[in-house]
Amino acid sequence: MTDLLEETGDERADAALGGLARLGALPVSAHADVFEEVLTGLEQALASVDDAPDRHP
């Protein structure tokens, strides 16, 4: 798990992916819950892109 990107350039995505750091301290049986949380955070970050004003008129 040390090959993860340190930053994506998007604060929301970085915050969501930061949850993966918890995997090493958790039993494998708890990993699915962490993956669900990370996926939800990434989906929210992606959905908010649609709400952002256009940067290229």
Side-chain angles (χ1 to χ4, degrees):
M1 299 303 289
T2 59
D3 294 339
L4 297 175
L5 292 174
E6 289 185 26
E7 293 182 3
T8 65
D10 184 288
E11 291 179 15
R12 297 160 297 192
D14 291 341
L17 291 170
L20 295 174
R22 300 185 350 236
L23 292 175
L26 295 173
V28 173
S29 61
H31 287 193
D33 291 336
V34 173
F35 292 140
E36 284 291 329
E37 291 172 15
V38 170
L39 178 60
T40 298
L42 291 172
E43 288 175 332
Q44 290 172 349
L46 185 58
S48 69
V49 170
D50 291 337
D51 298 334
D54 226 1
R55 294 184 180 167
H56 303 287

